[in-house]
Amino acid sequence: MLFNSYPFIFMFLPVTLIVYFVLNRLRWTIAAKTSLTLASLFFYGYWDPEYLPLMLGSIVFNYLIGWWLARWSDRSALQRRAVLIFGLVVDLGLLGYYKYANFFLENLGELTGNTYSTLQIILPLGISFFTFTQIAFLVDAYKGKAKEFNFISYTLFVTFFPHLIAGPILHHGEMMPQFDRKRNKVWNWPNVAKGVYIFCIGLFKKVVIADTFALYANDGFAKASTFADSWVASLSYTFQLYFDFSGYTDMAIGIALLFNIRLPQNFNSPYKAVSITDFWRRWHMTLSRWLRDYIYIPLGGNRRGFSIANRNLIITFLLGGLWHGAGWTFIIWGAMHGVGQAIQRVWTRRGKPLPTWLAWFITFMFINATWVFFRAEDFHQALRILKGMIGLNGFGFDQIANLKTPIVLIVLFLPFVLMLKNSSEKEATMRPSLKTALWIAVLFVISLLYLNRISTFLYFNF
Amino acid sequence: MTTIEQSAPRAGRDKSLKRRSRRMVGGFLLFALLAAGAVVSLTVILDPLQFYHKVTLYTARFSTEERYQNPGLAKNWDYDTIIIGTSMTENFLPSVVGKELGGTVMKLSIEGSTADEHNKMAKVALRTGKVKKVLWGLDYFSLKANSYDNSSKFPAYMYDDKLWNDYPYLFNYSVFEQFITSIKAKMDGYGQQNLEYMYNWNRSVTFGKDRVAKNYATANEGEAYFGINEESLDVVKKSFNDNILSLVKDNPDVEFYVYYPPYSVLRQVVWYNTNPARFENQVEMRKWMYEQFSQYPNVKLYDFQAAGEWTYDLDLYKDLSHHKQDVNTWIAEAIGRDDPAYRVTDANIDELNDRIERDAETAILNKNNDVVNVSVTLDGESLVFTNRVLAEGENGNELFVPAKQAAAAVGAELSWDQPTKTLALRKDGQELRMIVDSAVATVNGGEKVDMAFAPKLVGGTALVPVGFVFEQMGWKVAVTQADEKTTEIAITK
């Protein structure tokens, strides 16, 4: 189920909310928790129940490993480490099989000259997210920071539907105490007001802004080659991705707030960043945190000298790239961010600090260019756009009249990402009032209109 | 005491925050409801797709999305005859059809559509009670189940009587976009659109045999893939019964004129080559559907797929199947005069089917991209091959066929040596060796024979000249050309 759909907004969400709070009101707290867990599983299985067993299997397995680690808290580090490694190997094996097996086979085929038939695998929804969430849990359990003996609570932690499909990536420690706090089981008007507020903003960002930019990004990536249309394509995508992902996260935060659960902030105006490191502190913050805590620091972080730290950074981002998708374009994208940050570290050490505006400009250009690899279907497409952006395929200014709309949109939304407060900041300072109610109602209704866009019929076969 | 002093104002703040929050949530619900109501009323009044009523307030332009526009046309316009079908029917001129069939015509074609969509479309019109006649272009592929995938874009809510599920129309951004398009068009000086040419693509494409030939060249290879999942006849028959025959049965007062649209003969050849199962199913269905129809007095069936005078003239087509508006006009005229040459009857259905099979077996493209017929007979019985290529030479024509099929026809054992690209046929101690792209063959290990045409590889299949092969393996071959369009290769012992 998607947040931005009629069945979710008008059926699933109201029913889930009512059932949860009525059961809590009756003080049937275990039933309430179970209802939320079952609702989350329904949410996940709504499209295709076929992958429900896989996710449930993964949950049962990790629950048992976590239980084992907690029970063995007095055993030797070696024994506990073996259990942890066993858990991690299974988790990564599952992710590897479903997400990367075909990619691996394809490349093995290219290397050896053999052709391997591709496996009939469909990527289970959200597998990257629920795997990472649970890996963090196991590591935390190993370190003694997390303990969970209640299976329903554990399942709810992993599947709680606001964060299940697109994050944020959570720690057990920041979630479960919230569910168990007594006053969180009572309907809370200020939280509902805030939740509705940030949900509407997120919905508007996703379905009106991002989906509109998507039209121009898709069009551009399909055929742009000159300077003008390549820039329009890459900037459109840069905006699309931000509004899409941060909008979706806003919705997640808003929905969770209705249940009195505070999800961690995931975006903090990333395009205001003045360095690549700064960007990663603002973009998909919970993923950055995960990569730092579970890859970068275990590799040694920056405690083992300047060059090792740079190496660790590059490895971390290569893996981070691969996490986003099984393809060389994602690996290149990750590599660019890793190497970019290493270069930046060398510069900070040796060179003079740049004026802020120049630092921002370089950072933004860098991010915009790397998104081209992130979006492109293959190298060929990425290089076509990048070549276009540096003017190798002519300028195409005569065609600029056709690009009027996307250019106006880019200019219009630039101040939103660069100067104005982001949705988290707005939510933090929001004072409930009828005026606010009016304008979010308008955002909401406009968004609903956009959910029913007529899509053009593509004439394929006959 | 200090604790109370500190907590009292805080509790008050919480209370007022709670009150204001509750008011905000309530306000949000109320405003959202009001705004939604306003949007719905505006949509009903403006009704840019003229779904609820004919618009008189402004000049509404028709949407280019037939699936969304047609229901309004069917409900709110005057007509007594409708046209149902795929893009094959989009080039009918309503005035011409009206003159030939006698009536006022509304064209309700839907591009790339399947029979379930045709059914829903026809039902909207039939429910109005206005329909007396239906002209239905019946394509075999519209009955195939796997083309239903398209239907995810089908706005089924516009095709039923229920009001409550109309919300995707009442609450639709594109509808307002359509309104703006209408206003813009008005400002640019466009008047009311004419239904005569709506969705007609005759003038926006290029027709001609060279285009068809190009299409043909890629189709033979490209379509092989479709053959993998040919659905069984049960599925196709069910679709026919549910979507077409049921309407004929339920509307005894409505006359149905159903026709099989004429594709170019190469369309049949490609199906025959790449997907024999489908070709056979199609031929079988042509007869079966006729038999079902023949039980009802209110339906007449016409077949234009065996109409060689059109299907062989590639200049009438833009690709393998899509024909010109002229052809639509001829179809309307033929149906109008109930032309016995095209009207399917008990007496002629088998002959029509035979003609299509013969076309598929013998039709072939020559150098000038004209269709000619080349047939092969062995002791008077016809020999059939798929993937045939015509070779034209000064000393008569020759036909290339896949080496495997040639060997099978001869009854010889075939071997293939990949590095040297050598084909060898062996039978009863006789051996014929040919090398791809070499015009010299070797017979029985020594004797060299010149070939008029060298074997070749086309798309991974080795093709050999069939007459030459039979001759070298001990048969007599006579090539006769009755006229420039008909070649017969007669093989005798």
Side-chain angles (χ1 to χ4, degrees), chain A residues 197 352 426:
Chain A
Y197 177 79
K352 279 186 201 152
K426 287 182 87 68

Side-chain angles (χ1 to χ4, degrees), chain A residues 405-458:
Chain A
T405 325
I407 291 173
V408 167
L409 287 172
I410 289 167
V411 172
L412 197 69
F413 283 99
L414 204 59
F416 278 85
V417 300
L418 294 185
M419 288 181 256
L420 299 185
K421 281 198 280 188
N422 62 48
S423 28
S424 299
E425 291 162 345
K426 287 182 87 68
E427 182 243 294
T429 55
M430 192 270 291
R431 296 178 55 79
S433 68
L434 281 179
K435 207 174 97 187
T436 316
L438 178 63
W439 82 264
I440 59 169
V442 169
L443 288 187
F444 181 66
V445 170
I446 293 176
S447 304
L448 290 183
L449 286 179
Y450 270 70
L451 284 180
N452 289 326
R453 258 196 254 215
I454 295 176
S455 49
T456 313
F457 180 76
L458 293 177

Side-chain angles (χ1 to χ4, degrees), chain B residues 190-440:
Chain B
Y190 291 99
Q192 181 71 56
Q193 279 166 298
N194 188 347
L195 285 172
E196 182 78 352
Y197 287 98
M198 190 171 60
Y199 308 133
N200 188 313
W201 41 266
N202 191 54
R203 278 188 291 182
S204 57
V205 300
T206 318
F207 295 94
K209 60 182 180 182
D210 296 338
R211 293 188 71 92
V212 179
K214 223 166 150 187
N215 208 244
Y216 174 67
T218 52
N220 261 326
E221 282 178 43
E223 291 192 8
Y225 138 89
F226 288 113
I228 305 163
N229 294 318
E230 191 59 33
E231 45 281 280
S232 72
L233 277 177
D234 297 338
V235 175
V236 178
K237 285 178 178 171
K238 185 170 169 4
S239 173
F240 173 81
N241 282 335
D242 294 350
N243 295 315
I244 302 173
L245 200 64
S246 63
L247 293 181
V248 173
K249 197 155 69 179
D250 295 345
N251 296 279
D253 299 332
V254 176
E255 285 177 68
F256 287 83
Y257 300 88
V258 183
Y259 76 93
Y260 297 149
Y263 316 126
S264 82
V265 67
L266 294 180
R267 174 74 274 174
Q268 306 289 356
V269 173
V270 170
W271 278 332
Y272 182 73
N273 283 347
T274 60
N275 195 345
R278 178 198 190 141
F279 180 82
E280 287 309 323
N281 284 357
Q282 178 211 201
V283 171
E284 195 180 328
M285 278 300 286
R286 283 165 45 88
K287 183 170 178 179
W288 187 82
M289 291 191 289
Y290 165 70
E291 289 165 355
Q292 309 311 307
F293 280 141
S294 64
Q295 298 163 21
Y296 298 92
N298 58 331
V299 54
K300 291 193 179 84
L301 178 67
Y302 297 86
D303 175 31
F304 300 100
Q305 294 178 337
E309 66 279 20
W310 302 343
T311 62
Y312 276 70
D313 183 357
L314 301 187
D315 282 330
L316 297 176
Y317 295 86
K318 83 172 174 78
D319 52 35
L320 291 179
S321 16
H322 289 89
H323 53 70
K324 285 190 170 187
Q325 177 182 303
D326 289 345
V327 179
N328 291 84
T329 298
W330 299 334
I331 290 171
E333 288 166 356
I335 295 178
R337 62 173 182 267
D338 194 18
D339 193 326
Y342 305 108
R343 173 80 187 270
V344 183
T345 60
D346 288 340
N348 69 7
I349 176 67
D350 289 321
E351 191 204 320
L352 291 168
N353 268 354
D354 286 348
R355 210 185 294 164
I356 283 186
E357 294 205 63
R358 208 160 52 241
D359 282 348
E361 286 165 10
T362 65
I364 194 164
L365 209 53
N366 73 9
K367 274 196 290 220
N368 302 326
N369 291 338
D370 288 319
V371 184
V372 297
N373 293 100
V374 178
S375 59
V376 185
T377 56
L378 176 63
D379 293 329
E381 295 283 318
S382 76
L383 263 187
V384 294
F385 302 96
T386 55
N387 295 315
R388 305 159 330 127
V389 174
L390 181 66
E392 290 157 282
E394 286 159 25
N395 303 321
N397 292 345
E398 184 44 296
L399 185 71
F400 277 98
V401 303
K404 228 186 241 170
Q405 295 177 30
V410 170
E413 183 194 319
L414 174 73
S415 64
W416 166 251
D417 182 50
Q418 174 65 25
T420 58
K421 297 203 166 31
T422 303
L423 289 149
L425 277 79
R426 286 181 206 88
K427 191 195 179 187
D428 306 335
Q430 267 195 318
E431 189 200 57
L432 172 63
R433 297 175 80 86
M434 293 171 287
I435 302 169
V436 169
D437 293 331
S438 157
V440 182

Side-chain angles (χ1 to χ4, degrees), chain A residues 72-246:
Chain A
W72 273 20
S73 53
D74 50 353
R75 296 287 181 104
S76 75
L78 202 70
Q79 282 172 313
R80 306 188 68 241
R81 184 175 280 254
V83 175
L84 173 69
I85 288 172
F86 171 62
L88 295 184
V89 164
V90 172
D91 279 341
L92 292 174
L94 209 63
L95 182 63
Y97 175 74
Y98 279 97
K99 195 164 177 177
Y100 303 106
N102 277 330
F103 175 63
F104 177 73
L105 282 181
E106 241 168 65
N107 285 288
L108 192 69
E110 301 241 326
L111 267 179
T112 59
N114 295 328
T115 43
Y116 299 94
S117 52
T118 48
L119 304 166
Q120 296 292 323
I121 305 171
I122 308 163
L123 190 64
L125 206 63
I127 189 172
S128 313
F129 284 98
F130 69 69
T131 307
F132 267 36
T133 306
Q134 297 189 99
I135 287 177
F137 169 73
L138 291 189
V139 175
D140 290 352
Y142 169 74
K143 290 182 180 161
K145 283 198 275 184
K147 256 195 198 114
E148 184 59 76
F149 295 114
N150 184 323
F151 180 66
I152 302 228
S153 296
Y154 180 75
T155 310
L156 181 58
F157 153 64
V158 179
T159 62
F160 183 44
F161 69 89
H163 80 91
L164 177 58
I165 286 167
I169 301 170
L170 302 169
H171 284 292
H172 183 265
E174 66 196 347
M175 274 285 282
M176 289 333 282
Q178 296 195 58
F179 276 113
D180 293 329
R181 207 167 292 151
K182 279 228 174 58
R183 75 182 136 88
N184 283 354
K185 297 181 191 292
V186 189
W187 185 263
N188 179 324
W189 285 108
N191 276 348
V192 173
K194 282 182 174 230
V196 168
Y197 177 79
I198 194 164
F199 178 85
C200 289
I201 293 179
L203 183 67
F204 188 83
K205 278 162 81 172
K206 164 82 184 86
V207 302
V208 180
I209 306 177
D211 289 357
T212 304
F213 274 118
L215 300 176
Y216 301 103
N218 293 343
D219 202 40
F221 273 83
K223 52 180 201 256
S225 65
T226 66
F227 180 81
D229 54 6
S230 297
W231 274 100
V232 166
S234 67
L235 287 171
S236 295
Y237 184 65
T238 294
F239 280 89
Q240 179 203 337
L241 191 60
Y242 170 65
F243 283 110
D244 192 280
F245 200 0
S246 74

Side-chain angles (χ1 to χ4, degrees), chain A residues 284-327:
Chain A
H284 205 340
M285 294 149 72
T286 55
L287 175 70
S288 307
R289 178 178 77 177
W290 195 98
L291 293 172
R292 185 196 66 208
D293 290 349
Y294 301 103
I295 299 182
Y296 182 69
I297 291 176
L299 281 172
N302 49 12
R303 285 164 302 158
R304 289 167 54 195
F306 188 69
S307 54
I308 301 265
N310 284 341
R311 183 206 68 180
N312 293 344
L313 206 52
I314 292 170
I315 294 175
T316 305
F317 276 88
L318 272 175
L319 292 173
L322 195 59
W323 178 82
H324 281 86

Side-chain angles (χ1 to χ4, degrees), chain A residues 273-275 347 352-366:
Chain A
V274 291
S275 71
W347 177 271
K352 279 186 201 152
L354 297 170
T356 311
W357 67 268
L358 185 60
W360 167 82
F361 183 75
I362 292 174
T363 307
F364 187 73
M365 288 296 121
F366 174 82

